[in-house]
Amino acid sequence: MAGNEWINGYLEAILDSGAASIAEDSRPMLVNVRERGHFNPTKYFVEEVVTGVDESDLHRTWIKVVATRNTRERSSRLENMCWRIWHLARKKKQLEWEDFQRLASRRLEREQGRRDATEDMSEDLSEGERGDNPGETFVLSETPRHKFQRNFSDLQVWSDDNKEKKLYIVLISLHGLVRGENMELGRDSDTGGQVKYVVELSRALSMMPGVYRVDLFTRQVSSPDVDWSYGEPTEMLAPGSYDSDGNDAGESSGAYIIRIPFGPRDKYLRKELLWPYIQEFVDGALAHILNMSKVLAEQIGKGQPVWPYVIHGHYADAGDSAALLSGALNVPMVLTGHSLGRNKLEQLLKQGRQSKEDINATYKIMRRIEAEELSLDAAELVITSTKQEIEEQWGLYDGFDVKLEKVLRARGRRGVNCHGRYMPRMAVIPPGMDFSNVVQEQDPNEADGELAALITEGASPKSVPLIWTDVMRFLTNPHKPMILALSRPDPKKNITTLLKAFGECRPLRELANLTLIMGNRDDIDEMTGGNASVLTTVLKMIDKYDLYGQVAYPKHHKQSDVPEIYRLAAKAKGVFINPALVEPFGLTLIEAAAHGLPMVATKNGGPVDIHRALNNGLLVDPHDDKAIADALLKLVADKNLWSECRKNGWKNIHLFSWPEHCRTYLTRVASCRMRHPHWQLDTPLDDTIAEDSLGDSLKDVQDMSLRLSVDGERSSVNGSAEYDPEELEKVAAEADPGVQDQVKRIMNKLKKASTDVQQTDVSKKQNENSLNKYPALRRRKRLFVIALDSYNEEGKPITKMLKAIQETFKAVKSDTLASRVSGFALSTAMPLSETLQLLASGKIQATEFDALICSSGSEVYYPGTHQCMENGKLCPDRDYASHIDYRWGYDGLRKTITKLMNSSEMRNGKSSNSSSVIEEDETACNAHCISYLVKDPKKAKNIDELRQKLRMRGLRCHLMYCRNSTRLQVIPLLASRSQALRYLFVRWGLNVANMYVLLGERGDTDYEELLSGSHKTMLLKGVVENGSEELLRTNGSYHREDTVPPESPLLIRTSEGASADEIAACLKQLYKATVGM
C-alpha cells in the first residue's frame, strides 16, 4: 500500500460527505470501462461497484488490483475499492437501522400485550395477589426452592411400572433423506444431524417399557437422483421388544419409518420447496394413522381404536404438519424446533448482506416462521436442547413470552381463570446417544502399536479400519495429536476460522495435525454455492499457509466410519473442536466425549450446557482465531489437563444416553393434558358391513370386466361402469368354472342390493319425514363439497351460488351408479339460519346434503338424522363441538379483539368521533364462533397483524375475514373448513382423498387452506366475484405460492358459467388425472 496513504483520509471524507450527493452523482449511463484506450474510473465504479455489489468477491477484486501493472489504473481501482467498501458499509448501516426499528416496535408491542393480558387477568385476583406490577403477579413471591418444587414436584418419573401401557407414538421429520442404515449424512444441507437424531430417537423409544409402536413419518422420494430405498413406503428400524413373560410384544410392535408420498413424485425437493405440499402430507399421514388405529385395536386395544399417545413434529415443516394432525385427531402435540427461523433471520440481517425480502426469497423464511408460530399455538410441550434456546431463540416469537408463561402457569396452579390464554410448556431435554458400541480405552498409549502399523514400512499391520488409512495418507507425521473437526462445509460452521487459527499458530502446527471431515463430495463444482465456497476457501488456505502433510480432508466417509474417526483421534491423544458461529446443541461434542476426546467449542449455544454437564474442555469465541489456537494448544500441550478432561467426559457421559433421554421425554409427555377422539354417540358398525360388502362387489365387477372384456361398458364420473347383468352372465358362461362361480356370487349380491334399494325407496315414500339414525356419510365412497360462497358488497349471498349448487347436483346425479355412493356437503361462512334461508329460496332441501359445515367451520350439521335434531330443529354435532373446544377462550377473545380492532381509530393520541371499525353480529355468533360486522374494510387490520397481537397476549384462535370482507369471524384454533373435512374422515371414515371440493376463483381468507391437500379441487370460473384475500397478509409476509402448489393434477378449472355437462366432464377428467397417484 506504499504511496496510497490517502486511502484512510479518502474513506473518512466519503463517509462524512453523506449518501445523497454520492447517490445522485454516480449514476451515468453504463458504457465500456475503457474509452479510446483510457481507463474511466467513474464508469468503472458504476458498472463494477453500484451494479454488482457483492461482499464475497472483495478479496478476488483485490487480487486483480494488485496484479495491475499500470500505476494509474491500479490507483484508480484502489480508489474504487474504497467506494465499494463504503457502499457495503452504507447498505449494512441501513439494514441495521431497519432491523433496530423493527425490533424496537416489536418490543413495544410485546410489552403492551403483556400489560393487556395481565391487566385483564388481574380482575380475578385479590388486592394482595396483584402486586405493584401486573406482570409480576405470583412470580415475585416465589423463592428458588418453591420454584424448583413448582417445576418438578408433580412429575412422576417414567419407570418399568408403565410397561402395560402399550403406547403408540408418532414422530414427524419431513425434509432430507431418511433411512435406518447407511445414512447419507452431509449429502446435502437437509440431511444432517436431525436425520440421525430422529432415527435413533425412534429406535430408543420403541425399546422403552410401555411403548408398543413408534412411527417416524417422512417424505417418500422416488427420484432417480437418490437411492431406491427412499421410495420404499415402510422400513423397520427396530423389532418390538418382549413382554414381562418373554413373549413377542406383537406383530406390529417396534419402530418404523413410514414414507408418505406428497409433492412431485419424481423429484427430491429441498426443504424450502416443500411448503405448498404440507397439507397433502397431512391427509396421507392421517389415512395411515386411522388404518393403524384399527390394526392396533385388534392387537392391543381390545377392539377399541388405539390413537397416538402424542404427535411429535421435528423442525418447522413437521411442526406445521403435527399441528394440523393433532387438531384433526384431537391428540397432544409436541414440538422440537432443532433450528429456528426467527433466529436465522436475525443472524442474516446482522450480516448486512441481504435485505429481509432477499432472505425471504431464498429461504422462504416468513413461511417457516409462521409454521413455527402455528406449532407454538398447538403444542402442549416444546422440547429444547438448552436453556439458551428457550430464552434467546423461542423468546423471539409472538407465541411465547417467558414472563407471561410464568404468570399463566402460576394462575393455572392456583385454579384462577386465564380467560383462554395459554403458553406452551418448555422442557430442556438434551439429545441422547447410543453408547453401546463405544469402547472406553483407558490407556491411550496402546495406540502407538496400531498407528505404527500403518506407517512403518515392511511391518505386518493388524486389521485397521479403512477410514484410518484414508486419513493417514494426508499426514506426514501421523503420530502427532490430532485436532478433529466434523461438520458440513457450511459457512456457519466456521471451518475457515479454525483453519486460519491453525495456520497462523506455528507452535500448534508443530505439535499437532488437523483433520477436517466435511461431509461427502465428488466434484466441488457440482455442490451448492455455500458448501462449494467453503471447500474452495479451505483448499486455498491450505495452500496459502503451506499445510500440506499437516491437514487431512478426505472426500468420502460412511456413517459407520464416524466412531472409528473419533477412535483414531483419541488414540492420537487429540482434541475435538466445534467452532460453529452458533451451535443449537452440539451432538458431535457428546459423541467425541464418549470416545475419550476433550473438546474445544463455541461459547454460543448448546455447548455451554454440555460443558457445564461434562466439564471436559474449553469454550471459545468463534470469531477469535487466536483464542481458538490458544485453547487447542493448551489442551494438546498439557497432558495432565488432557487426561483430566478425558476422564470427566467419561464420568458424566451417561447423562446423555438414549435411555436417560427417553425416560425424561416420556415423563414430560405424560404430564401433558392427555386427549384423544371420544365420541359421545358411538356408532355400531353392523349396518356398514353389508354396505361395504356391496362396495366390494361393485369393485369386483369392475375387476371382472377387465378379465372378461365385457362389451357395452359405460364410464361413470368416478371411472366405474354399468353392466347389463344378462350380458355379464352370458360372457361368464364361456369362462372357466371358477370365474363362473365368482360371477354368480357377485350377481346375487347385486340383485339383493337392488331389491333393498327398491324397498327403501318405497318406505321413504310412505314416510317422507322419517329420520336416519346415523349420517349417510359413513356409507359414502365420495363426497362433493360445495364451498362456493358468493356475496354482494353488503355480504349477502347472490343467486350464482344457488345455480352452481343445482348444476353440481345435476352433474353428479347424471351418473346413476356413481350417485348411489356419492354424497354432498355444503361448506360456508354463513350461520345455519342464513344457510337454510338461502337453500329455501332456491327450493333446495337441506336433506340433499349429508353435512352442512357452517360459520367458517365452527359447526357441523347432519340434516335428516336423529343425531342433529332437537325439538324439531337442527342442532350441531356435539362430538365436533367438544373436538374443537381445545384452547378456546370465548370471553378473552371477544373482549381483546374488540379493543384491538377499534384501537385503529386513535389518531395522535385523540379518539376519533367516527364509529368503530367492527361491531359484534350477535345473530351470527355461536358457542364456537364470534362474528363481527366490518363497517370499513379499509381500516380493518390484516389477519397477520391481528393474529400477532393476539399471540402476544397468549390468545390462540383461527381468524378469518369472509363474505366479501364484511365479516370477521373468530373460531377455535382447531376449527376451520379444511379441518372439518378431516374431522369427517376421522369420525365417519370418508377419506379426504375421495372428496371433491368445488371452489370459486376467489374466497375468504381461508381460501388457500381449501386449495391444498389430497382432495380433488374444481375451480368454477365466474361464480365468486368478490373475496377477502387482500386482508390475509401484511407486507413482508409469506406469499401464496408458499402455501399452494403451482401445478397439481388434483386441480381443474371450468369455463365461465359451467353447465352440468361440463362439470361432469371435468369431474371425469379430474378422476382420470389422479388415477395411480
Side-chain angles (χ1 to χ4, degrees):
M1 296 293 289
N4 290 301
E5 293 84 358
W6 50 269
I7 288 181
N8 288 335
Y10 185 72
L11 274 175
E12 291 178 5
I14 291 174
L15 293 173
D16 290 341
S17 65
S21 60
I22 296 184
E24 293 173 357
D25 296 338
S26 304
R27 299 187 183 275
M29 294 294 292
L30 299 184
V31 295
N32 292 332
V33 174
R34 287 184 178 272
E35 282 186 355
R36 300 177 183 176
H38 297 291
F39 182 76
N40 188 321
T42 303
K43 292 183 175 62
Y44 175 83
F45 169 73
V46 172
E47 289 199 358
E48 299 295 325
V49 182
V50 175
T51 62
V53 173
D54 182 4
E55 186 177 358
S56 63
D57 70 352
L58 276 175
H59 181 263
R60 184 169 47 196
T61 304
W62 168 254
I63 297 299
K64 292 181 179 179
V65 169
V66 296
T68 304
R69 293 186 178 182
N70 185 290
T71 304
R72 181 168 173 265
E73 185 173 340
R74 182 167 62 250
S75 181
S76 296
R77 288 181 180 271
L78 286 170
E79 179 180 349
N80 282 293
M81 276 200 71
C82 295
W83 283 89
R84 172 177 286 194
I85 294 168
W86 169 81
H87 185 87
L88 287 169
R90 174 172 170 266
K91 180 181 178 182
K92 189 170 184 178
K93 289 293 183 183
Q94 288 176 333
L95 292 174
E96 287 176 352
W97 173 245
E98 292 172 2
D99 188 43
F100 172 78
Q101 289 180 311
R102 180 176 56 83
L103 291 176
S105 175
R106 182 182 180 81
R107 192 179 303 112
L108 290 173
E109 180 61 40
R110 166 153 284 180
E111 290 173 357
Q112 181 62 47
R114 193 182 297 145
R115 282 196 299 271
D116 289 349
T118 50
E119 285 173 5
D120 289 347
M121 293 186 296
S122 66
E123 296 174 0
D124 298 325
L125 306 179
S126 65
E127 292 296 329
E129 291 173 318
R130 293 182 188 179
D132 297 332
N133 187 331
E136 297 172 354
T137 306
F138 297 132
V139 178
L140 293 178
S141 61
E142 291 185 348
T143 65
R145 181 177 179 180
H146 290 157
K147 197 172 185 179
F148 179 84
Q149 291 175 347
R150 174 171 56 84
N151 286 331
F152 302 107
S153 62
D154 59 341
L155 296 182
Q156 184 176 357
V157 178
W158 194 268
S159 66
D160 290 345
D161 295 338
N162 296 291
K163 59 186 176 183
E164 301 300 327
K165 285 186 176 290
K166 298 187 181 299
L167 305 180
Y168 173 35
I169 295 175
V170 169
L171 308 180
I172 307 175
S173 182
L174 296 183
H175 63 261
L177 297 171
V178 183
R179 65 183 180 190
E181 302 298 333
N182 297 321
M183 288 179 275
E184 298 182 85
L185 303 183
R187 181 187 190 276
D188 53 60
S189 58
D190 291 349
T191 309
Q194 178 181 326
V195 171
K196 181 181 179 183
Y197 171 80
V198 295
V199 168
E200 294 188 352
L201 173 61
S202 301
R203 285 197 180 107
L205 279 174
S206 69
M207 300 297 179
M208 293 297 292
V211 177
Y212 184 78
R213 180 182 173 100
V214 178
D215 279 345
L216 170 58
F217 287 166
T218 189
R219 181 172 181 243
Q220 185 182 41
V221 184
S222 301
S223 169
D225 298 330
V226 302
D227 190 75
W228 63 270
S229 59
Y230 301 114
E232 291 295 299
T234 305
E235 177 185 345
M236 177 182 281
L237 291 175
S241 55
Y242 295 88
D243 60 22
S244 56
D245 298 327
N247 301 317
D248 190 359
E251 64 176 301
S252 296
S253 63
Y256 299 83
I257 295 176
I258 306 298
R259 298 186 178 91
I260 305 294
F262 66 100
R265 302 295 189 263
D266 59 344
K267 293 182 181 178
Y268 171 50
L269 301 178
R270 58 188 175 91
K271 59 178 175 288
E272 290 82 7
L273 301 180
L274 291 178
W275 292 113
Y277 309 103
I278 292 294
Q279 296 217 47
E280 186 181 350
F281 163 79
V282 171
D283 293 336
L286 188 60
H288 173 85
I289 291 174
L290 292 178
N291 289 334
M292 186 52 58
S293 71
K294 297 174 184 177
V295 172
L296 297 182
E298 298 176 1
Q299 296 180 13
I300 59 174
K302 299 180 180 179
Q304 295 299 316
V306 175
W307 303 107
Y309 187 64
V310 70
I311 297 178
H312 187 165
H314 294 266
Y315 194 78
D317 47 13
D320 192 315
S321 306
L324 295 174
L325 272 174
S326 69
L329 291 165
N330 199 24
V331 299
M333 174 198 162
V334 175
L335 173 68
T336 298
H338 290 276
S339 68
L340 302 182
R342 282 202 188 276
N343 184 62
K344 182 170 185 175
L345 177 61
E346 298 297 328
Q347 295 292 331
L348 292 172
L349 287 173
K350 286 179 181 178
Q351 292 178 5
R353 299 178 183 179
Q354 293 176 290
S355 65
K356 185 178 178 181
E357 291 73 21
D358 295 334
I359 295 170
N360 191 34
T362 303
Y363 299 103
K364 307 295 182 185
I365 201 77
M366 300 312 296
R367 178 66 180 88
R368 174 178 170 183
I369 289 172
E370 177 55 33
E372 289 162 340
E373 293 282 10
L374 175 62
S375 302
L376 285 176
D377 288 342
E380 285 275 356
L381 178 69
V382 178
I383 293 177
T384 70
S385 300
T386 64
K387 292 182 180 179
Q388 180 264 356
E389 186 179 342
I390 299 175
E391 298 167 359
E392 299 181 18
Q393 297 185 42
W394 282 117
L396 298 172
Y397 285 77
D398 303 329
F400 183 75
D401 185 319
V402 175
K403 295 181 180 179
L404 185 56
E405 190 269 341
K406 292 178 180 178
V407 173
L408 293 174
R409 199 186 328 155
R411 291 177 66 91
R413 287 182 176 277
R414 293 175 65 97
V416 181
N417 187 6
C418 292
H419 298 283
R421 289 176 169 83
Y422 177 85
M423 289 284 169
R425 290 294 302 269
M426 297 274 173
V428 178
I429 307 178
M433 182 181 168
D434 181 10
F435 300 127
S436 60
N437 296 324
V438 175
V439 178
Q440 295 184 358
E441 301 173 28
Q442 299 295 336
D443 184 11
N445 293 324
E446 68 183 26
D448 291 342
E450 290 184 76
L451 296 179
L454 287 173
I455 61 175
T456 303
E457 294 184 6
S460 176
K462 65 174 73 172
S463 176
V464 294
L466 292 177
I467 190 64
W468 287 22
T469 308
D470 200 20
V471 170
M472 293 271 188
R473 67 188 176 89
F474 288 90
L475 306 175
T476 304
N477 183 4
H479 285 289
K480 293 196 296 184
M482 178 183 293
I483 298 168
L484 173 63
L486 192 155
S487 70
R488 301 190 312 271
D490 190 300
K492 63 186 178 185
K493 296 301 182 181
N494 205 29
I495 298 173
T496 54
T497 302
L498 167 63
L499 200 53
K500 180 182 179 183
F502 184 76
E504 294 185 355
C505 182
R506 184 173 179 179
L508 185 61
R509 293 200 314 268
E510 293 176 349
L511 197 58
N513 294 318
L514 176 62
T515 297
L516 304 175
I517 307 297
M518 301 175 289
N520 290 285
R521 63 187 184 277
D522 291 315
D523 187 344
I524 294 178
D525 291 337
E526 296 178 358
M527 300 181 71
T528 57
N531 292 354
S533 176
V534 170
L535 285 167
T536 302
T537 303
V538 165
L539 296 177
K540 288 181 177 180
M541 293 180 73
I542 290 173
D543 186 74
K544 174 183 177 181
Y545 294 113
D546 193 16
L547 299 177
Y548 298 105
Q550 296 174 288
V551 178
Y553 43 98
K555 294 184 67 171
H556 298 282
H557 71 281
K558 299 176 183 177
Q559 181 60 28
S560 58
D561 292 332
V562 173
E564 297 298 341
I565 295 171
Y566 287 128
R567 197 160 68 91
L568 174 61
K571 284 181 175 292
K573 303 178 184 178
V575 175
F576 183 81
I577 180 168
N578 182 337
L581 299 176
V582 177
E583 180 58 61
F585 180 66
L587 193 61
T588 53
L589 295 172
I590 299 173
E591 293 174 344
H595 287 84
L597 280 171
M599 74 171 190
V600 173
T602 176
K603 65 177 183 180
N604 299 330
V608 176
D609 289 341
I610 294 175
H611 179 262
R612 186 181 297 117
L614 298 182
N615 190 25
N616 70 327
L618 303 171
L619 300 178
V620 294
D621 180 353
H623 299 280
D624 189 342
D625 55 278
K626 187 177 185 303
I628 293 174
D630 289 344
L632 289 170
L633 185 61
K634 184 175 182 180
L635 278 172
V636 170
D638 189 340
K639 295 305 178 183
N640 291 330
L641 177 62
W642 185 89
S643 297
E644 182 182 353
C645 289
R646 175 187 177 96
K647 292 177 181 177
N648 286 345
W650 276 341
K651 181 174 64 176
N652 301 314
I653 200 65
H654 69 279
L655 297 173
F656 299 97
S657 67
W658 274 120
E660 188 72 21
H661 174 92
C662 292
R663 190 174 296 109
T664 307
Y665 174 90
L666 292 170
T667 300
R668 288 290 188 177
V669 169
S671 68
C672 293
R673 173 187 168 186
M674 286 296 118
R675 61 189 201 279
H676 60 273
H678 177 71
W679 316 129
Q680 297 178 25
L681 180 65
D682 293 329
T683 309
L685 300 177
D686 299 340
D687 297 338
T688 62
I689 294 175
E691 296 158 4
D692 291 340
S693 177
L694 172 59
D696 293 339
S697 298
L698 293 174
K699 183 178 179 182
D700 291 341
V701 170
Q702 187 174 3
D703 295 339
M704 190 68 68
S705 69
L706 298 176
R707 296 173 57 187
L708 301 178
S709 301
V710 178
D711 296 330
E713 177 180 331
R714 181 168 73 84
S715 296
S716 66
V717 169
N718 69 323
S720 62
E722 292 182 351
Y723 306 94
D724 182 356
E726 295 181 0
E727 185 68 20
L728 184 60
E729 291 177 348
K730 179 180 177 182
V731 175
E734 303 174 2
D736 59 78
V739 173
Q740 292 178 11
D741 292 340
Q742 189 174 357
V743 170
K744 288 179 181 179
R745 287 196 301 271
I746 293 172
M747 294 309 302
N748 288 334
K749 289 183 180 179
L750 288 174
K751 289 175 182 178
K752 183 179 183 300
S754 177
T755 302
D756 293 342
V757 170
Q758 291 175 3
Q759 292 175 352
T760 302
D761 291 340
V762 171
S763 64
K764 282 186 177 179
K765 290 179 181 179
Q766 292 176 347
N767 187 8
E768 291 288 341
N769 297 322
S770 64
L771 297 175
N772 296 319
K773 189 173 182 181
Y774 303 108
L777 284 168
R778 64 199 186 111
R779 300 193 304 268
R780 302 303 189 193
K781 301 301 180 183
R782 281 165 299 280
L783 184 68
F784 294 87
V785 182
I786 302 173
L788 293 163
D789 279 10
S790 184
Y791 305 98
N792 60 21
E793 293 181 355
E794 298 177 354
K796 303 291 185 182
I798 59 179
T799 56
K800 283 186 177 181
M801 222 170 139
L802 291 170
K803 184 179 179 182
I805 293 173
Q806 292 165 343
E807 293 297 316
T808 303
F809 282 169
K810 291 178 184 177
V812 176
K813 292 179 180 180
S814 64
D815 188 326
T816 308
L817 184 61
S819 63
R820 288 179 181 175
V821 292
S822 299
F824 298 93
L826 182 63
S827 181
T828 176
M830 294 183 292
L832 177 67
S833 58
E834 292 187 51
T835 302
L836 295 178
Q837 289 175 11
L838 174 68
L839 295 177
S841 67
K843 298 181 179 180
I844 300 174
Q845 296 291 328
T847 51
E848 292 278 359
F849 295 96
D850 293 335
L852 297 176
I853 301 170
C854 298
S855 300
S856 298
S858 63
E859 290 184 325
V860 174
Y861 299 85
Y862 309 115
T865 62
H866 283 293
Q867 183 178 355
C868 283
M869 293 299 295
E870 193 172 281
N871 298 325
K873 295 183 179 180
L874 273 176
C875 63
D877 181 353
R878 294 187 296 274
D879 291 330
Y880 183 69
S882 62
H883 190 84
I884 64 176
D885 198 55
Y886 178 65
R887 291 188 184 168
W888 174 235
Y890 187 101
D891 294 332
L893 285 165
R894 181 182 178 190
K895 179 179 180 180
T896 304
I897 288 174
T898 302
K899 180 179 179 180
L900 289 175
M901 288 292 290
N902 293 331
S903 66
S904 61
E905 291 300 307
M906 298 296 292
R907 297 290 183 270
N908 299 322
K910 298 181 180 180
S911 178
S912 172
N913 293 326
S914 61
S915 60
S916 58
V917 178
I918 62 170
E919 71 176 29
E920 190 172 344
D921 181 9
E922 295 183 0
T923 61
C925 292
N926 61 58
H928 291 96
C929 176
I930 310 171
S931 183
Y932 296 93
L933 289 168
V934 181
K935 297 184 176 181
D936 188 353
K938 294 181 180 179
K939 295 181 180 179
K941 289 180 171 65
N942 288 345
I943 292 293
D944 273 358
E945 181 183 359
L946 190 55
R947 186 164 49 201
Q948 178 194 46
K949 293 178 182 295
L950 290 173
R951 282 169 172 162
M952 287 182 172
R953 288 157 176 79
L955 293 166
R956 320 285 171 161
C957 64
H958 201 145
L959 297 158
M960 62 194 70
Y961 286 101
C962 55
R963 304 179 68 168
N964 195 13
S965 304
T966 63
R967 302 289 194 282
L968 169 64
Q969 300 203 145
V970 187
I971 63 178
L973 177 68
L974 302 186
S976 71
R977 291 197 287 173
S978 61
Q979 285 290 83
L981 300 183
R982 295 188 177 105
Y983 168 80
L984 297 181
F985 182 15
V986 176
R987 182 68 178 93
W988 304 111
L990 183 56
N991 198 321
V992 176
N994 294 330
M995 296 182 185
Y996 294 75
V997 179
L998 284 74
L999 299 167
E1001 295 176 291
R1002 303 190 63 188
D1004 302 338
T1005 51
D1006 65 344
Y1007 178 70
E1008 292 173 5
E1009 299 173 24
L1010 290 167
L1011 282 174
S1012 304
S1014 64
H1015 59 258
K1016 287 85 171 172
T1017 305
M1018 180 185 295
L1019 299 184
L1020 275 65
K1021 186 175 181 181
V1023 178
V1024 182
E1025 298 179 358
N1026 302 305
S1028 309
E1029 307 102 300
E1030 65 276 1
L1031 288 173
L1032 176 58
R1033 285 184 280 267
T1034 57
N1035 292 332
S1037 182
Y1038 61 93
H1039 306 295
R1040 177 168 171 169
E1041 55 266 26
D1042 298 332
T1043 60
V1044 179
E1047 299 287 339
S1048 174
L1050 299 173
L1051 187 145
I1052 195 170
R1053 293 175 171 84
T1054 70
S1055 60
E1056 189 165 353
S1059 64
D1061 291 339
E1062 183 181 353
I1063 293 175
C1066 287
L1067 288 173
K1068 182 177 179 180
Q1069 182 180 345
L1070 192 58
Y1071 173 81
K1072 288 182 177 179
T1074 56
V1075 170
M1077 285 188 60

